[in-house]
Amino acid sequence: MQRGTRLGGTRLGGTRLAGKTALVTGAGQGVGRGIALALAAEGAAVVLAGRTEGKLKDTAGEITERGGRAYTVVGDVGERDDVDRMVAETVREFGGLDVLVNNAQSSVQRRLAETSYDDVELTYRSGPLATFHAMRAALPHLRESRGSVVNLGSSAAVQGEATFAAYAMAKEAIRGLSRVAAREWGPYGIRVNVVCPAALSPAAEDYLAAHPQKAAELARDIPLGRLGDPEADIGRAVAALVSDDMAYLTGATLMLEGGRTLIG
């Protein structure tokens, strides 16, 4: 097990999340990085969790350069002990937990007839099971803070896109789990919502570069005409979602995909 690395500083910018602590999984790149940066910009102390230490430190460096506070924890959300440690280190370092963002997720892309049990197991371990473990570990602390959970879904799952069988299964399982948690945890003051982003993550960029026809289809299918920016479009929306501005919203799925699911 690798221990966390602390990076510190003072808050600058927004204050909607001042005094709050957030844990973001898969925070080293893409949407997770964008969410972490946006939460920090609103004043939250952010714990960055993921498998690649260098990427986490890079994100933490960006936060501290802007005057925020960050702490990194290296681990694999597919391993329950690692998930428990992520939550424990968050609470130990910053004294509590107000926001949990379950972003990390492995993806396998094959047609349904070619999808194996191993493909499904990988996506489930890194997705709904990891989300379940993190939520269970975080529950005592979220009850104390009357906190907020944001789980990541997918418009590809909502639309049932071809070649996303294992991934879609995992993402829709996360949405079902989130709705149950919203109902059961609402009396504790805990809100649980899902966001389905369409953003230019490194994985998305690689996929679109390898599938130019798909890139052209996406451009046509998104009413706003572009994929979202991980920080400006996705991260800032998540920051608003976990703030008091959205204190009466729970059990919802927020489609952050430029209107793509309106078509077809």
Side-chain angles (χ1 to χ4, degrees), residues 187-259:
Y188 307 146
I190 301 171
R191 297 188 297 115
V192 184
N193 291 291
V194 174
V195 297
C196 293
L200 274 174
S201 66
E205 291 177 351
D206 290 345
Y207 172 72
L208 294 176
H211 302 84
Q213 183 178 356
K214 189 65 174 178
E217 290 174 4
L218 272 175
R220 291 193 301 268
D221 286 351
I222 298 176
L224 292 182
R226 63 180 178 83
L227 286 170
D229 179 83
E231 180 181 358
D233 295 317
I234 311 304
R236 290 197 304 178
V238 171
L241 183 59
V242 302
S243 76
D244 289 342
D245 292 345
M246 303 289 279
Y248 198 54
L249 184 68
T250 194
T253 296
L254 187 60
M255 304 302 295
L256 298 176
E257 33 69 275

Side-chain angles (χ1 to χ4, degrees), residues 18-226:
K20 305 290 188 182
T21 296
L23 168 60
V24 182
T25 67
Q29 65 181 9
V31 170
R33 170 184 167 275
I35 292 172
L37 292 172
L39 295 176
E42 286 293 341
V46 184
V47 175
L48 315 167
R51 292 181 298 181
T52 307
E53 185 175 23
K55 292 179 179 179
L56 295 176
K57 286 188 173 181
D58 287 345
T59 303
E62 291 183 75
I63 290 172
T64 57
E65 284 172 10
R66 300 181 187 187
R69 295 178 298 161
Y71 180 85
T72 66
V73 182
V74 178
D76 184 347
V77 296
E79 299 294 333
R80 184 170 186 173
D81 287 347
D82 282 6
V83 173
D84 289 344
R85 179 168 53 84
M86 291 170 188
V87 173
E89 291 204 29
T90 298
V91 174
R92 187 198 68 201
E93 187 65 21
F94 290 117
L97 177 61
D98 303 277
V99 176
L100 171 64
V101 180
N102 287 300
N103 165 73
Q105 170 79 66
S106 296
S107 176
V108 176
Q109 193 171 347
R110 305 187 217 284
R111 291 204 168 270
L112 179 57
E114 300 165 355
T115 299
S116 69
Y117 176 84
D118 289 342
D119 295 335
V120 174
E121 183 179 46
L122 173 64
T123 56
Y124 262 71
R125 284 189 59 176
S126 62
L129 286 177
T131 298
F132 168 76
H133 291 150
M135 290 171 65
R136 286 286 304 272
L139 177 58
H141 312 292
L142 294 172
R143 287 188 67 170
E144 184 174 344
S145 65
R146 298 179 69 85
S148 184
V149 179
V150 176
N151 295 326
L152 273 286
S154 170
S155 60
V158 172
Q159 290 188 305
E161 289 189 24
T163 75
F164 283 93
Y167 183 73
M169 290 168 66
K171 285 302 189 184
E172 287 297 271
I174 289 172
R175 285 214 301 153
L177 170 64
S178 301
R179 289 192 294 269
V180 171
R183 188 178 296 275
E184 292 186 358
W185 294 1
Y188 307 146
I190 301 171
R191 297 188 297 115
V192 184
N193 291 291
V194 174
V195 297
C196 293
L200 274 174
S201 66
E205 291 177 351
D206 290 345
Y207 172 72
L208 294 176
H211 302 84
Q213 183 178 356
K214 189 65 174 178
E217 290 174 4
L218 272 175
R220 291 193 301 268
D221 286 351
I222 298 176
L224 292 182
R226 63 180 178 83

Side-chain angles (χ1 to χ4, degrees), residues 159 260-264:
Q159 290 188 305
R260 183 180 175 212
T261 52
L262 295 173
I263 297 176

